[in-house]
Each structure stands twice: as structure tokens, then as C-alpha cells.
Amino acid sequence: MLLWRRGFFGKGDLSRSEPSWLARQINIRKTGGKQMTSEEVTAKRRAERRQFKLDRAAAIAAVAAEAEAIFEAEGRVIKPALSGPGIPSAATWRPSPSLTEPPVSPPSEEEVEPAELEPLVDVEHLQLTLQEAFFLAWGLDCLTILDPHTAEAMTLQQLWTAFQIAHLPPSILSNPVSLLQLDNPFLINYVIYHHYRSLGWVVKGGIKFCVDYLLYKRGPVFTHAEFAMVVCPVYEDIEDQKASSLQLQNATPFAWSWLSTINRVNSQVQKTLILVYVTIPARSRLPSSVLNSPACLEHYSVREVTLRRFIPARMRD
């Protein structure tokens, strides 16, 4: 897990982000869950929020039923109140005892069965995206990747080719001539990843917020992401797009309704939406051999467009 601690690379395959499976298991064994990890804190907070909504809905329904009973019995019309002493609010509501039960004290050594004393084995692994793996292997020269068939270290040239092929659909794999292309999705995403990593940002996947990447100023354990990025490939030569065998996401104009939806989602979680345009160099001005090494990355360019929602009540000036 050294790569996570020294740069927040990858994620734990048994955790939401930070590899914490072993810490959670040790916590359960030694302290009975008294000291919660980030995943457990999040799960507890979500359970409390869900219980609050249920309690509030039940209280409102009870007030409405009481008003209906008064109308049937006395003929008086009473407007059900949506707030008041009988309606829970975020400031006054407290979790039910079932959500705040004190942790069970761990059993004494005499009560512990021999099987429970067996040492824990950390079965969690760190997962890296292809962009992270290549950045560590080429950009920082601190990662060695083994060939799964020969168990030998792969060269940079082998990694470069294998990572591009991994992003191609099966229909293209049958044609060896077109394996390396300037609009390969790996190249486009790596250009973005390398660009922002080189500027000091921590780049993580943003599928949770319907975007391609999130930018953290220090890291996920310190603050929330400040920026959400949508990658938009742009062909320098429009004829290359017409002749391409790949259908790149966001390479064609998208609807304003989609863009407004994405912007609204990220504005609600205090993130600024950025459209990142990656210009794909024209095939006519570059030889095909340029794709044989990462040197081709210098021919790509990155442009940014920041989007913000216009809110009249807040932006009158």
C-alpha cells in the first residue's frame, strides 16, 4: 500500500478508496468496532440519514391523519404542520438506540476461541488504472510490471503497446495494421492524467459524479475534490474522425440538457465542472512510427473550459 500513502495511487479492491480492509478487521477483533474506519463512518452516517427521513415522514403522516380525524369528527379544517415540536428536524432529531448501540466489549482471552487468535492475512490488493500504472512506470520509474504469461518484467515498449491494445474493441484487434492509432482512448486519457499529475494534482476517477476525473489538491483523505473534469477529444483534422474506426465518447457535440445535468450534479457537491479538450494531432503531418513510443504525447494539446451555473439570487452583481 506504499503507492497509496505516497501519492494516493490506485484503490483497495475491498474498500471504497483507501485500502483499509485489514484495519477494519483488526478494529473488529481488538476493539469490537469502537474505532471506526472511514467506510464505517460513512455507512453509519448514511444509515442515520435514512432513519431521519423515515422518522420525519412518519411524523408528518401522523399529523395529517390526526387532522383528518378532527375533520371527520368535528368538521374543522386543520392544515397539517410540516414543522414544529412533533416533526423531527435536522437540529433536533437524534438517532434511534439501534443505530447508536455501544460496541460490544471484546471477549477476554479465556473466552476467545483458538480460531479467533489466528493472525490476520491481508487479502486486499491495490488496483491501479492503466494510466496510473504507466505514469508510475514511465513518469516516475518506480513500478515494475510482470508479464502474466512469462512472469518476466515488461519493457516500456511492451507496456506502451499492451495498454493501447487493452482499450481497443475486439473488431479492431483482428486487424493488426490499425492497432496503434492517434485517437486511442488510452492515449487521450493518459495525456489528461499526466498533465494534471505533473501540475501537482491528485487525479482520481469521477464516475460517481458522472465525470471522467476528479482533481484533489492534496488527496482524498484531506479534502473533497475541487474540480470535476469531462474529457472531450477534438480532432485536428476532421477527416481523421470520419475515417476512424473508434467512436470516442464526447467527440461529437453533446446536448445542452446533458451538460446542464452534469453541471447541476457537481454544483450540488461543491465541485467546479471543467471541460478538458484534448486535441488529437492529424495523421497527415505525423508518420505512423511516432506511435511506437511515448514521444508522440508532445503532439497532443490540452485546453480547459470552466463551467459555472448562473444563479440570479447569488450573482446579481
Side-chain angles (χ1 to χ4, degrees), residues 66-122:
E66 182 180 357
E68 184 70 21
I70 293 176
F71 175 76
E72 293 179 356
E74 305 177 9
R76 291 187 296 117
V77 178
I78 298 179
K79 184 179 180 180
L82 298 180
S83 61
I87 308 297
S89 66
T92 60
W93 181 82
R94 293 294 179 268
S96 60
S98 59
L99 297 177
T100 58
E101 290 179 352
V104 180
S105 58
S108 60
E109 295 185 1
E110 293 79 5
E111 300 173 348
V112 175
E113 298 179 2
E116 296 179 343
L117 294 177
E118 295 180 359
L120 285 171
V121 178
D122 191 0

Side-chain angles (χ1 to χ4, degrees), residues 41-90:
V41 171
T42 301
K44 180 175 179 292
R45 185 170 61 246
R46 289 176 177 173
E48 292 178 353
R49 187 183 302 119
R50 184 166 51 251
Q51 186 62 44
F52 165 71
K53 293 179 179 179
L54 293 175
D55 292 350
R56 179 175 173 82
I60 293 176
V63 171
E66 182 180 357
E68 184 70 21
I70 293 176
F71 175 76
E72 293 179 356
E74 305 177 9
R76 291 187 296 117
V77 178
I78 298 179
K79 184 179 180 180
L82 298 180
S83 61
I87 308 297
S89 66

Side-chain angles (χ1 to χ4, degrees), residues 230-251:
V230 175
V231 178
C232 302
V234 178
Y235 287 85
E236 181 179 320
D237 186 353
I238 194 63
E239 295 300 325
D240 290 346
Q241 183 177 7
K242 297 178 181 179
S244 177
S245 55
L246 296 171
Q247 299 294 329
L248 297 180
Q249 183 178 0
N250 299 333

Side-chain angles (χ1 to χ4, degrees), residues 28-284:
I28 293 174
R29 174 174 291 189
K30 292 186 176 181
T31 66
K34 184 177 181 180
Q35 299 177 353
M36 293 186 294
T37 59
S38 58
E39 284 85 358
E40 294 168 339
V41 171
T42 301
K44 180 175 179 292
R45 185 170 61 246
R46 289 176 177 173
E48 292 178 353
R49 187 183 302 119
R50 184 166 51 251
Q51 186 62 44
F52 165 71
K53 293 179 179 179
L54 293 175
D55 292 350
R56 179 175 173 82
I60 293 176
V63 171
E66 182 180 357
E68 184 70 21
I70 293 176
F71 175 76
E72 293 179 356
E74 305 177 9
R76 291 187 296 117
V77 178
I78 298 179
K79 184 179 180 180
L82 298 180
S83 61
I87 308 297
S89 66
T92 60
W93 181 82
R94 293 294 179 268
S96 60
S98 59
L99 297 177
T100 58
E101 290 179 352
V104 180
S105 58
S108 60
E109 295 185 1
E110 293 79 5
E111 300 173 348
V112 175
E113 298 179 2
E116 296 179 343
L117 294 177
E118 295 180 359
L120 285 171
V121 178
D122 191 0
V123 298
E124 186 171 30
H125 298 84
L126 188 70
Q127 293 178 332
L128 295 173
T129 64
L130 296 185
Q131 288 73 28
E132 290 175 322
F134 194 78
F135 181 80
L136 291 169
W138 178 57
L140 300 182
D141 193 20
C142 64
L143 180 67
T144 300
I145 301 176
L146 303 181
D147 189 311
H149 303 290
T150 63
E152 296 181 356
M154 299 178 66
T155 64
L156 183 62
Q157 181 62 43
Q158 291 174 326
L159 292 176
W160 178 250
T161 304
F163 287 1
Q164 292 186 62
I165 294 177
H167 279 76
L168 297 178
S171 59
I172 299 181
L173 294 177
S174 59
N175 184 10
V177 178
S178 60
L179 287 182
L180 301 183
Q181 303 182 27
L182 289 168
D183 57 351
N184 188 288
F186 170 75
L187 296 181
I188 296 172
N189 285 278
Y190 184 76
V191 167
I192 297 295
Y193 185 88
H194 190 104
H195 175 72
Y196 287 101
R197 267 291 185 176
S198 300
L199 294 176
W201 294 94
V202 176
V203 186
K204 306 298 290 185
I207 190 172
K208 180 179 179 181
F209 301 102
C210 308
V211 295
D212 295 301
Y213 293 106
L214 298 176
L215 292 184
Y216 293 84
K217 191 171 185 178
R218 297 180 60 192
V221 301
F222 297 106
T223 58
H224 292 289
E226 297 185 25
F227 300 98
M229 300 189 301
V230 175
V231 178
C232 302
V234 178
Y235 287 85
E236 181 179 320
D237 186 353
I238 194 63
E239 295 300 325
D240 290 346
Q241 183 177 7
K242 297 178 181 179
S244 177
S245 55
L246 296 171
Q247 299 294 329
L248 297 180
Q249 183 178 0
N250 299 333
T252 56
F254 36 76
W256 277 103
S257 57
W258 175 87
L259 183 61
S260 178
T261 301
I262 300 298
N263 197 19
R264 177 65 179 267
V265 168
N266 286 275
S267 297
Q268 294 299 317
V269 290
Q270 305 300 316
K271 290 174 176 46
T272 301
L273 182 63
I274 299 179
L275 301 181
V276 184
Y277 291 90
V278 181
T279 302
I280 303 172
R283 299 178 185 177
S284 57

